[in-house]
Amino acid sequence: MATLLVACGGGGGGSSDPTSPPPTSTNPPPTNQPPTEQPPTTEPPPTQQPMPEPDLEAPPVPTIPDMPSGSAPTMPPPPPTMQLPSGVDVSNPGAVVKPVAATSSSDQGGNTAAKAIDGVATSRWESAQVDESWIQFDFGAKTQLGSMKLTWENAYGKEYSVLVSDDGQTWYQLRYVASGKGGMEEFMNLTSNVRYVRINGVKRATQYGYSLFEVEFKSPGSDNTLGSRVTASVTPFPANGDQLAPPPAEKPPLEGIQFTLPDGTLVTRFGVIGRSRHARERGEDWNEIGEGPNETVDAAGNPVDKGPGAHLNFVANYFKNRTWGFEIIDNSRVAGVTKPTLRVNQYFQQAQKAGGHSFFRAFDRPGVTGFGWMAPGRLADPSLYGTDLASCAVVPKPPEGQLANASGLNDGCSVTVDNYPGHAELSPNANGVLVPNGRTVPARALKVGDVVEVSTSFFSTREAMAAVNDTGGLRYYTNEWTYVVGTGLRPWYGVQPRLMNAPLPEETLQGGLGSVSYDYADNSTFIFQQPFNNVGMQNMQRFVEGRRWFHTNMRTGDHNETGNDRNTEAVGLQGMFYNQSTCFGCHINNGRGLAPTVVNQKLDTMVVRTAETDGNGRQLPHSVYGSAAQMNSQPSTNGVRTDWGTAVRVASFESRNVTLPDGTVVELRKPKLSFDGPTPSVYSLRSAQPVIGMGLLEAIPDATILARARVAPDADGVKGTANYVFDPETNAVRLGRFGWKASKASLRHQVAIAALQDMSVTSPIYPNRDCLFGPAKCNTSKVEPGISEDVLKLMTRYVGLLGVPAQRSVVSGFPKGVAPLSYLDANPAQIAAGAQVFEATKCAACHVKEMRTGTGTELAETRNQTIRPYTDLLLHDMGPDLADNLVEGQATGSMWRTSALWGIGYTEKVAGTGVKVGYLHDSRARTLTEAILWHGGEATTSRQLFEQLNTQDRTALLTFLGSL
């Protein structure tokens, strides 16, 4: 068993494998071997031939919208006197309106401003080669305008504003363009009544001056003016929870992940997915002192970051034939068994080569850094080792609660692990590195509690892949797991020597037993995209298919990561108006949305909820925007880029300073908004939240949440209020738990409303886009194409299966001389001190550390888990500084649901370099310190205690939060 496979997936050491020409196979895979194990032999299994490394697929880069430069002067929106009067007839198409004159800040070569309105397609206005150039149009008197079309020459405006005036002196901003594309750009729904219009340049796209062939204006009409789209109706909420629906009857889960046979045999099943590289291969080669190159530090010993590894990103077409099931049958707790065995089966979607398993970290070899294991396991049919055939035929998934074969061995490709391998004894050398000392530790029988690192690989052939209609890769690595004999899978971290795997302590498992293990591949931008550590073998496939939809452009069907097949089912599902075309567009790397950072920034990676008040004082969706402003629009049929004036932007920032006892000055600022169109009387800016752990939050029983709600505030003013909602499908009263105001009852509800509001995509719950205007017209009498019931389930299950990273509060065993990854460089004493400060400042009154999930959900992975989300899922009045005027059920404008804090320390790492995200409901807080200092209302006592902390305690608290 101690003999090592040379192939990387089968136990090779070092940071790279020897390579050889890719194997070929001209024969069909043989029939499976009978499920009888070959007798043990003293001879080691044959060494498998080296395999080439799979292609390294670069991690995708999030697409971040172009941001304004911030250099343009701040301008107010037009006052009512410059807007279209009410009652204007727009039933007919708009007519061309000609300015009487055009002037500009400059012109070149006789290309004057007048040539932009002369009706000649080949003549043009050309400015001087200066960014701050402008062209202005005079209509001679106040004129009603509905649209403006710009036809640019190749030298176009990258960034510019559209201003209006009645006197040519005082200007107001009508529109702002931060990412001009040239060609034809059309501005609809101007709804203006003005004399002057100016295009004010901010940034040129080329080194030349601005160059406009033609500018055309039209009066307001049916082809360019929105007006009120649908008669809105009130979205009802229950007055209280008196009619709260009882919890659903418990049903069997979609699939089990662990069970025990009558004799005590423990069976653990989990899902596997192909990966590009191993779990300890970071962007820099690393070795211990004297044992090879170490690129993690420079010559002076300072940390070096050459980029991430490629372990947690997803390979091309990850959703297509690249997941499989893994089963460990463990008899260590069977009465009378003195020499336990682990029998291992895999359930692939296509035939595979034999021998891709690896077990036990090769901790006794100093050269083992990125990968390397001690044992390949013993194939039931050893003759299958070393062959270049896809000898392991597809085996159907096993039945629930039963073995596929009573022996535990499905075929000749099944594997047995029956001892802890012999290995070299280690002692420190002169450099303090643990190296072999010449003595050996003999192999021994397995025992309960042994820690086994489990890794496997994807070894297929071109013929086997062709049989499943797949022309993609043949060879992948996978995740690496820690299996504890007699117990099952456990999230892991690396300890000495050489980041050898060990189970993480219970108190670090924020997401229960499915918590995401520590990441030693420097892939932190992907840490929020991982499934549960113990995800089921079939749920893994559901997870990746749901992920595909989460990353799919709902207009084009394209995946936002290169190399993936187009999702033809998604083509054309998006409506005319939308914010983003993919879920990922708002939830950056499954984390928070882009924060408001600069004046004139369009807030289309956030949500602006909109409403108006009827004659009875009730809030209902806004007559133009509906329940949320959708800020972008599809191009016109002739490809003209159109702006319909539905965007919401940062108008300015309000700020004030807070001085802490040690003299630290903290600036608190919040964005003020401006609407390109009418300003609603009621609106609320909402940031995208991280989507991790939502399946676990859904699994918390109602009673657990309600038990923390109070009728009256406690001594510190903390109350906690439950929100109640009507189920949009059954009309039953449900407890709200998702969204900033806990106004969504379930993940299904949350996914469907986000698809509608953010991406303009309908679903079985919201069958048409009129649903944005309330329930009166949200019925099946009008069904517009959208995601199907199957897709809604996939997306809901994907979100439900997203795991939560384990808390990073224990020290990893980075070898001597190797720089720790910054987010794994834990200081346990300071973190523990910060946890005490967290309690002392009474943060835990709302951010409840620990809860227990129930058994009511369909996902076994979320059942009966002790989780540490740091939320009570209740509403709390946060005071006037955090208030807006939008009401949702029990949630008044100042009431917000307690945000979960798990994963909060990863916020900036997940966002990626150069991406600014924020905290609180509108992302106003740029740091956690700012976020805490904004707390008021029920959190006033906690904020005041925080303000009084000395530097040491404040640092400890922030370090603790950073570890979550």
Side-chain angles (χ1 to χ4, degrees), residues 308-488:
H311 177 63
L312 294 182
N313 59 296
F314 290 79
V315 299
N317 280 340
Y318 57 89
F319 45 83
K320 183 180 178 182
N321 306 316
R322 283 159 180 80
T323 71
W324 64 98
F326 200 97
E327 177 180 59
I328 300 176
I329 303 167
D330 175 353
N331 68 354
S332 63
R333 295 190 184 274
V334 174
V337 169
T338 57
K339 294 184 177 180
T341 61
L342 306 179
R343 295 188 173 186
V344 175
N345 298 299
Q346 296 195 80
Y347 299 90
F348 286 92
Q349 298 185 51
Q350 63 287 102
Q352 297 278 316
K353 298 179 182 181
H357 313 72
S358 304
F359 304 93
F360 300 98
R361 181 78 172 153
F363 59 85
D364 61 344
R365 287 184 285 152
V368 169
T369 56
F371 52 85
W373 294 271
M374 286 184 175
R378 186 173 64 250
L379 279 179
D381 181 358
S383 69
L384 298 179
Y385 275 115
T387 65
D388 192 22
L389 301 173
S391 306
C392 305
V394 173
V395 177
K397 296 289 194 302
E400 284 293 323
Q402 303 175 45
L403 300 182
N405 189 289
S407 71
L409 298 171
N410 289 348
D411 55 25
C413 295
S414 298
V415 168
T416 297
V417 178
D418 57 10
N419 64 30
Y420 199 105
H423 54 274
E425 186 179 88
L426 304 178
S427 297
N429 64 11
N431 292 321
V433 176
L434 291 171
V435 297
N437 58 20
R439 297 187 294 270
T440 59
V441 176
R444 59 167 175 78
L446 292 176
K447 66 179 187 296
V448 170
D450 275 342
V451 175
V452 184
E453 179 164 354
V454 178
S455 186
T456 184
S457 292
F458 184 109
F459 293 93
S460 193
T461 65
R462 179 57 58 209
E463 291 78 12
M465 294 300 288
V468 293
N469 194 31
D470 195 318
T471 58
L474 308 176
R475 170 86 164 88
Y476 300 99
Y477 306 134
T478 65
N479 290 68
E480 293 164 23
W481 295 267
T482 290
Y483 182 83
V484 179
V485 176
T487 300

Side-chain angles (χ1 to χ4, degrees), residues 6-318:
V6 177
C8 196
S15 58
S16 62
D17 279 330
T19 60
S20 63
T24 59
S25 175
T26 57
N27 299 316
T31 303
N32 280 12
Q33 298 293 327
T36 56
E37 184 178 11
Q38 300 295 320
T41 174
T42 56
E43 294 297 319
T47 299
Q48 187 163 323
Q49 294 301 310
M51 298 291 290
E53 294 279 350
D55 292 336
L56 177 61
E57 293 164 332
V61 177
T63 301
I64 304 301
D66 291 329
M67 298 287 283
S69 61
S71 59
T74 301
M75 297 284 189
T81 56
M82 299 176 69
Q83 297 172 15
L84 199 65
S86 60
V88 173
D89 181 10
V90 293
S91 58
N92 297 311
V96 172
V97 178
K98 293 282 291 184
V100 298
T103 56
S104 61
S105 58
S106 61
D107 56 60
Q108 295 272 83
N111 296 317
T112 63
K115 292 187 176 182
I117 57 171
D118 62 2
V120 178
T122 56
S123 66
R124 61 190 176 93
W125 164 68
E126 179 185 1
S127 78
Q129 296 175 10
V130 177
D131 284 336
E132 297 81 13
S133 300
W134 53 261
I135 183 171
Q136 170 177 316
F137 308 96
D138 181 3
F139 293 90
K142 285 175 72 72
T143 302
Q144 296 177 2
L145 300 176
S147 65
M148 176 181 73
K149 182 165 68 175
L150 308 180
T151 304
W152 294 95
E153 203 248 355
N154 290 334
Y156 62 91
K158 177 69 173 175
E159 184 176 350
Y160 58 95
S161 59
V162 178
L163 309 179
V164 293
S165 174
D166 273 348
D167 60 9
Q169 301 297 318
T170 304
W171 294 93
Y172 300 89
Q173 183 170 294
L174 190 62
R175 301 288 167 85
Y176 198 91
V177 176
S179 55
K181 305 297 183 186
M184 287 188 181
E185 296 183 313
E186 193 161 16
F187 298 87
M188 304 293 207
N189 204 41
L190 296 182
T191 61
S192 298
N193 187 24
V194 297
R195 176 173 175 177
Y196 297 97
V197 175
R198 174 182 285 187
I199 300 169
N200 200 58
V202 178
K203 184 186 297 184
R204 292 165 293 149
T206 70
Q207 73 270 33
Y208 302 106
Y210 300 103
S211 183
L212 273 168
F213 281 125
E214 199 70 18
V215 179
E216 179 185 270
F217 296 89
K218 284 187 176 182
S219 63
S222 57
D223 57 343
N224 62 24
T225 302
L226 290 175
S228 297
R229 288 189 270 178
V230 178
T231 302
S233 61
V234 172
T235 301
F237 284 87
N240 51 53
D242 290 348
Q243 302 299 317
L244 183 66
E250 183 177 337
K251 297 179 181 179
L254 279 177
E255 67 168 331
I257 54 178
Q258 191 174 59
F259 62 94
T260 303
L261 296 174
D263 67 353
T265 297
L266 182 68
V267 181
T268 300
R269 293 171 175 166
F270 54 96
V272 179
I273 185 171
R275 298 291 194 185
S276 294
R277 287 291 184 269
H278 294 289
R280 297 175 184 82
E281 287 186 279
R282 56 199 269 188
E284 308 84 42
D285 280 341
W286 60 274
N287 280 283
E288 296 169 89
I289 297 173
E291 302 296 333
N294 174 27
E295 298 177 337
T296 71
V297 293
D298 60 20
N302 299 311
V304 171
D305 184 0
K306 297 176 66 175
H311 177 63
L312 294 182
N313 59 296
F314 290 79
V315 299
N317 280 340
Y318 57 89

Side-chain angles (χ1 to χ4, degrees), residues 779-793:
N779 55 62
T780 55
S781 64
K782 179 181 179 181
V783 177
E784 297 174 321
I787 58 174
S788 66
E789 175 63 24
D790 288 344
V791 172
L792 180 57
K793 284 182 178 178

Side-chain angles (χ1 to χ4, degrees), residues 512-525:
L513 295 180
S515 296
V516 179
S517 301
Y518 280 16
D519 160 39
Y520 294 101
D522 198 10
N523 280 161
S524 54
T525 53

